[in-house]
Amino acid sequence: MRLRALLDTDALGLKLLGGEDELDRAVRGVMTTDLRDPSRYLSGGELVLTGLAWRRDAADSEPFVRILVQAGVAALAAGEAELGDVPEDLVVACARHRLPLFAVNESVAFATITEHVVRQVSGERAGDLAAVVDRHRRMMTSGPAGGGPDVVLDLLGSDLDLRAWVLSPTGRPIAGPKAAGPALPADVCAKLAGEHLAATRAGRRAPHRVALGGTTYSLFPVRSTGHRPAAAGDGRTPQPARDVRETVLSDWLLAVEADAGDWAEERLDLLYGVTQLIAVERDRRDAARTVRRRLAQEVLELVQTGAAPAEIAARLRVAAPVLLPGLGAAPHWQVVVARVEWEDGADDGDRTGPVAQALLEEILVDPLSTGPEHSDRIAVAHAGGEAIALVPLPAVSSEHDGSEAGILADALLESVRDPLTAGLDGDGRVTLGVSAAVHSAEGLRGALEEARHARRVAAARPGRVCAAGHQELASHVLLLPFVPDDVRRAFTARLLDPLRDYDRRHRAELIPTLEAFLDCDGSWTRCATRLHLHVNTLRYRVGRIEQLTGRDLSRLEDKLDFFLALRMS
C-alpha cells in the first residue's frame, strides 16, 4: 500500500506534518518502537509508530531520524498522547532527511493503525502471490518448468510469512520451505498426518486445525481432482461425491503453521489454489510411475500363469535398469503383498486394489527420505484386491545368501502405523506380508506365495495395521491363522480362563508368570530372576496354575498347549 492511502482513511486519525512529495512510497509493514536505536528490528519499508518515550531533549531527534532513514523506513508516525503536539525539532529533522512524518491523534490506538496496515499489506501480497500461483500452475501443467511445490512453499514463506509442508498420508515430508528454520520433527509429521486422516474420515470440513506443542497447524487436503469442496451458498458447483475410503490412504496434505480459523475467504482461496498446484505435481508423479507399475504387472502375470523361468528372467532384465539404474549385476528381489479390507464388506478388488497399490508404494519408501520421487525403485501391481510389490535389492556378496538383506516386516510399519490407524477409523484393516529375498526368476513364484502366506498370518493378528515376514512361516505361527475361531476360543478358554478369573479376584499375576516361565524354557532360576521373585514364590504360583488347570508344567505336551493358548489368545 502507499502512504497516501493512510491519509485517506479517517479512522486512522493521521495528520501529515511533512513529506508531501514522498506520499507515493510503498509501505511493506508496520513497527511500534520507543527504542533510541531500533535499527536491528527494521528491514525497510515500514511505517514506524512511536510514542516518543525515547526523546529526552531536542538533540535526540536528529540521530533517531537518521537511524530510521538509514534503515530504509517508509515514514514515521508520532503519537500526541505523551507530549501533546509533535516536537518541532522532530519535524525539522524529518524534513532534513526527507522522511514523511505523521501525527497520530491521541484518541487513536497504535493497534488500530497496525491492524489496518497489516490487513492491507497482507491482502496485496496475497493478490500478488495468487497471480504467481496461477502462473506457476499453468507452467507445471504444461511441464516441469515450474520447479515443483517447493517453489510455491517458499513464496508462501517470503510473501505471507507462512511456513508450510506437503506431507504424505503416512507423515513423510514431500516438500517444505527451503528457507532457514528447523524442519518438522518426524513425530509431529506423523501426528499431523494422523489428525488429518481422522478428520477426513469423520467428514469434517477442511481446513482441519490441530494444536501440537503450543503450535497451531491448519491442514488442507491435496486431492488429484484439484477442486475445493463447494460450500453451501458459495455459488460453486459441488463435485461428485466419492467414497472417502478410496483416496484417504493415498492423498497428500498441506500443513500450514498458522490458525486458519479466522482467515478471510480470499486467503483461504489462495491456499486452496496452492493445493491445486501441488495436485498437479501429484498427478505428474503418478504418471511417472506408470512404467514401473506396468513392469510389475507384466512380471506378476508371468509368475501367476506359470511362465517359463527364462521368460520371467528376460522380463526382469528389462525391469532392472528401470528400477535400479546404473546397477551392473542382476539384483535380488523381494515380494511384498498388501491388502486393504473394510468391515462392511466394501472390498471389491477393483476399488480396494488401487488403494492398496498407492498405499504400498508409499509404505515402501524409506520414512527418513523426503521428496516425491523416492519410490522410483519400487514396482507395484494390483490384482484381485491385493497390491503386490516387486522390490529390487542390490546383489549381495557371495558370503551371504540374502536372507538378512532387504525389508523386515516389523520395521516396515513402525513409522506409519499410527497415521494409518487413524485413516482406517475403526472399520478397516491393512495387512502386509513380506517374502525372503530371491536371486532368480525361479524363486519369484515361491516368493509370491510366501508373501501371501505371511499376509494371512498378519491378518490373523489383532490390530488395524499388521505385517508378518517370511521368518514366521517356518514355525507353528504358520498354523495358527488357519485354526477355526470356535476351536481357538474353546481351546484358550479351557486353559486360560481359570487363570484369568483367579488373577481378577486375587491379583496373583498367574498369566504373566506363566508367560515368563515358558519364555525361560521352564528354568526356575532364570524365571525367578526375570520376575524379581524368590524361587519358592515362583514355585507356589506355578503350583497354583497346575492346580487350577489340571495340567503339569513339567510335561512337554502341557507346556506346548499353554504356549499355543497364549499365542492364540
Side-chain angles (χ1 to χ4, degrees), residues 527-541:
C527 183
T529 301
R530 174 181 296 190
L531 296 176
H532 305 289
L533 297 175
H534 192 278
V535 172
N536 288 341
T537 303
L538 176 60
R539 291 185 184 278
Y540 172 80
R541 289 187 182 181

Side-chain angles (χ1 to χ4, degrees), residues 203-232:
R204 299 202 298 271
R205 186 182 175 190
H208 314 304
R209 290 144 58 200
V210 179
L212 293 176
T215 301
T216 299
Y217 299 88
S218 296
L219 311 178
F220 296 79
V222 176
R223 299 191 174 103
S224 59
T225 57
H227 293 294
R228 175 181 172 183

Side-chain angles (χ1 to χ4, degrees), residues 26-102:
V27 179
R28 293 194 292 270
V30 62
M31 175 191 176
T32 299
T33 183
D34 277 313
L35 295 174
R36 296 170 68 86
D37 180 3
S39 58
R40 74 185 69 178
Y41 305 110
L42 297 170
S43 57
E46 295 93 349
L47 169 67
V48 175
L49 305 175
T50 180
L52 300 175
W54 51 267
R55 182 183 179 277
R56 298 171 185 172
D57 54 46
D60 292 334
S61 293
E62 170 68 23
F64 181 78
V65 172
R66 186 167 57 250
I67 288 170
L68 298 187
V69 172
Q70 290 173 350
V73 303
L76 175 65
E80 297 178 332
E82 183 72 21
L83 302 177
D85 294 334
V86 175
E88 183 63 23
D89 50 88
L90 182 58
V91 177
V92 171
C94 287
R96 181 181 301 116
H97 291 279
R98 302 179 63 83
L99 180 66
L101 176 64
F102 298 95

Side-chain angles (χ1 to χ4, degrees), residues 10 41 97 133 149 161 214 279 299 303 312 335 341 343 419 468 476 513:
D10 294 337
Y41 305 110
H97 291 279
V133 168
D161 297 324
V299 172
V303 170
I312 300 174
V335 176
E341 298 173 298
E343 290 188 356
H476 64 280
T513 300

